[in-house]
Amino acid sequence: TLEAGINFSQSANRTTIQTSVTAYTRAIDQWIMWMPPVKDVSNYWSPINISEVFSKGIEARLNYSLAAENWLFDFNTGLDLTWPTFGTGLPDFMIREGDQLFYVPVENLSAGLEVQKGSWTGFYQHHWFGDSPGINVDIEAGHVGSAGISFNFNSSKLDGRLYLQAENVWNVPYRIIERRPMPGRSWTGGIKVS
């Protein structure tokens, strides 16, 4: 594995900006991958040994914070570009050397906003991912959002947090593996006390 990165941070007049860019490359041997039944090869899901996998990519992050009176705004975004490829072909599975690994999208993009005022915090985070090759059917690009709100309270002997959060806010049907639909909108709520 080789990895190199650069970070930059600056604060002025109630604002803070942080950025980073990281590049990496990896050579992996003896990668194990589960494969579904393939005609004339196997009648059931089974692990196969891939002697070489190469992965390289770039990760970029940006975070911008602004404090204004009793408000705090925090914006974040990230971009991941990943190129994982088979270093060895698998002719029985119609995989050629240099083909992209299954279920790994090249592009991943996320962006979010968190707002705080006093004891209240709210956030929204959105994630978009590109298409990726599947074993039988390619996986289409998709997106999913999550949102939440929380209230922090404290006293001399008690600290706590009351929260409500929703995953897949827009109830988008999507998959990250073929024939395996991901959950629709879901809610989580609770109270944490210490």
Side-chain angles (χ1 to χ4, degrees):
T1 298
L2 295 173
E3 183 174 308
I6 187 167
N7 298 322
F8 172 78
S9 180
Q10 185 173 3
S11 298
N13 297 333
R14 298 185 178 185
T15 63
T16 301
I17 187 167
Q18 297 174 319
T19 61
S20 67
V21 177
T22 304
Y24 64 89
T25 182
R26 297 180 182 121
I28 305 157
D29 64 350
Q30 306 306 315
W31 180 279
I32 302 296
M33 183 173 69
W34 283 87
M35 294 289 287
V38 175
K39 185 178 179 184
D40 301 327
V41 177
S42 171
N43 294 324
Y44 49 86
W45 278 82
S46 58
I48 62 168
N49 191 349
I50 304 168
S51 58
E52 279 187 313
V53 168
F54 298 110
S55 180
K56 57 187 173 184
I58 298 171
E59 299 171 347
R61 301 287 181 270
L62 170 67
N63 186 277
Y64 176 79
S65 298
L66 170 66
E69 295 184 18
N70 294 338
W71 293 85
L72 177 63
F73 299 91
D74 187 61
F75 172 75
N76 66 77
T77 186
L79 172 65
D80 294 344
L81 299 172
T82 307
W83 296 277
T85 57
F86 290 94
T88 304
L90 300 169
D92 290 343
F93 296 97
M94 294 182 290
I95 297 171
R96 296 182 309 265
E97 180 180 339
D99 283 353
Q100 184 179 342
L101 284 184
F102 300 124
Y103 311 125
V104 182
V106 172
E107 310 92 357
N108 276 289
L109 176 64
S110 65
L113 176 66
E114 182 176 281
V115 178
Q116 295 179 16
K117 181 172 177 24
S119 297
W120 290 93
T121 302
F123 79 91
Y124 179 77
Q125 189 77 32
H126 204 84
H127 178 213
W128 178 86
F129 51 91
D131 54 4
S132 62
I135 294 171
N136 297 302
V137 178
D138 288 346
I139 309 302
E140 294 180 9
H143 63 95
V144 64
S146 59
I149 189 168
S150 65
F151 177 76
N152 294 311
F153 56 89
N154 55 30
S155 65
S156 60
K157 296 183 179 181
L158 190 67
D159 289 327
R161 180 172 166 257
L162 182 65
Y163 66 95
L164 179 64
Q165 185 170 327
E167 299 295 334
N168 194 359
V169 173
W170 310 111
N171 205 27
V172 175
Y174 72 100
R175 287 174 168 72
I176 55 175
I177 296 177
E178 62 191 270
R179 302 183 184 133
R180 304 283 195 284
M182 296 300 289
R185 183 183 302 118
S186 63
W187 296 89
T188 304
I191 186 169
K192 293 181 180 178
V193 178
S194 60

